[in-house]
Amino acid sequence: MTPNLIRQAAIVLSNLLTFSSPADAKLSEFFRNNRDLGTKERAFVAESVYGVLRRLRFLSTVTANDENDPDDARKLILAWLLRVQGMSIRELEPMLSEQQKEWAHLIKAKSTDNLPLAVQADVRDWLWDKLVAQYGEAEALTIARSMHEQATLDLRVNTIKGTRDEVMAKFIAENTSGETNVTKTPYSPIGLRMPNRMNIGRHVLFTEGKIEVQDEGSQLLAHLVAAKRGMMVADFCAGAGGKTLAIGALMRNTGRLYAFDVSEKRLHNLGQRLKRSGLSNLNAQVISSETDPKLKRLNGKFDRVLVDAPCSGLGTLRRNPDLKWRQTPQDVAELNVKQTNILARAAKLTKVGGRLIYATCSLLRDENEQIAEQFLAIHPDFKLLNAAQILAQHQIELDTGDYLKLLPHLHNTDGFFAAVFEKLDAATAPVLSADNEVEATPEVTPSLEAESTLEAVPEVEEVAAEEVPTKTAKAAKKTAVKKEPKPKVAKAPKDDSAASTKVSKVKASTAKTKAVKA
């Protein structure tokens, strides 16, 4: 750690606090513009800015002189080092200016007694209220605090090319320290877990297609789809295809597997992963929206249809902490309409006796149980299946009730939700009486085109790789995406060295409202 490195981290953080785009994209751009930074220096910058984003509301409190004091990126970095990382002022003094030393003493002395629970949870008031209403105060605080921790690195073994024991043995053999650096995931039978983040993209097991980066919860979703050999399966919001590839491996490269998405770029990324995977039964197709006319010919054809729906991504805050500051109640309400419409359209693709699987990486009932219950009320030709029983058929002992509900503090995965519906024969399906009819949410189109899950949330299982085009249909013209209102901008650190000329200056906000206040 050096004074210049602290300054660089503050410059990046100041840019991220505009919350105008995903944090990982801005951080990647900074590293591309500063290729002289070494591996350890990059790690410090990344850990510092993500550490601040995880604890932003708490750190804003300990750095503020008064309630309306705007955030300062340099103070926030100092506060993270002193109050979260536990460093002493004595350790930091050689790297601090006189002004920064004054800040450090004030930050260290700031009392945090009797902080509001939303501040302790490090979330906005609206999100805290929703979590408390759903989980109760105690569990809501536990869930929120579990998101302060960095996620583990989970890997999925590609069973087309190897076994979990073979891959694990390879990793253990490489570990020169003599300690086991990899363990088996407790639930997924094809998962491995690394305790620390590492650059896996150039590892021989990755380049040979024997492993993919994928959270254990996402792996379990593929088992919940429970596709069998020879089936016809659709991943309706495929993104870059992490779950698609997992499903294909479970199908043992038989049957037909379709990957639909509104983004040609993401399906191109799937093409690179597909080459490594060894799968040959996958057909990737770009669609303009869930109402794309080309889907009509496929109605009633699929044994399994997975809807990994566009969602708030609030279950992935360990990996994407900026989402809790970027998302708003209005965003969630708009997503609810999209989720309803996409699920209704996917239902038409499902054959009688087939299954429709609805999933999100959200913690909120609004995006999960509420959507599932509404779907069942409107579609009497579908019934809910018990998720625990389906997993048990795959020797996965995990019972969270009728729905699959994963939480970081309980399962050490991202927050996931899934519901499995089976389509009934129209002749035997119950008929709703006029008194029991539920009015459907009016269909809004196009909703997939507006913002899919992987636009709102970086796909957690994807590893950066060179994009290689696949043979896909031409993408439909993109519709404009509404910009989110920007919170206040942090004060930009002074550019006192030549190195800083490589980074765009960020204007200081004149607003007096704190960035993390609801």
Side-chain angles (χ1 to χ4, degrees), residues 321-360:
D322 56 309
L323 284 174
K324 59 184 174 181
W325 314 119
R326 292 173 55 210
Q327 298 286 20
T328 68
Q330 292 73 26
D331 294 330
V332 174
E334 291 172 7
L335 285 164
N336 290 160
V337 176
K338 297 175 187 178
Q339 290 153 356
T340 299
N341 292 342
I342 293 168
L343 184 57
R345 181 61 188 90
K348 296 178 181 179
L349 298 174
T350 312
K351 69 192 304 183
V352 173
R355 294 178 185 176
L356 173 64
I357 300 89
Y358 173 76
T360 75

Side-chain angles (χ1 to χ4, degrees), residues 34 105 202 300 388 425 457:
N34 293 269
H105 284 284
R202 295 184 179 180
D425 191 321
V457 185

Side-chain angles (χ1 to χ4, degrees), residues 276-318:
R276 294 194 305 267
S277 73
L279 292 178
S280 59
N281 64 336
L282 178 60
N283 179 11
Q285 292 192 17
V286 177
I287 55 177
S288 60
S289 74
E290 76 272 15
T291 60
D292 193 311
K294 76 177 66 168
L295 295 170
K296 188 174 182 180
R297 62 184 175 84
L298 295 171
N299 284 349
K301 301 292 186 183
F302 289 97
D303 299 281
R304 301 285 189 270
V305 180
L306 170 62
V307 176
D308 183 18
C311 70
S312 64
L314 293 171
T316 69
L317 295 182
R318 299 182 306 167

Side-chain angles (χ1 to χ4, degrees), residues 48-59:
S48 298
V49 298
Y50 270 80
V52 170
L53 292 176
R54 289 188 179 98
R55 305 299 312 276
L56 183 55
R57 195 161 186 188
F58 169 77
L59 296 174

Side-chain angles (χ1 to χ4, degrees), residues 22 40 59 108 220 239 329 340 347 376 385 394 481 489:
K40 291 183 178 180
L59 296 174
K108 197 75 172 177
L220 291 175
T340 299
L376 287 170
L385 300 182
H394 293 258
V481 179
V489 182

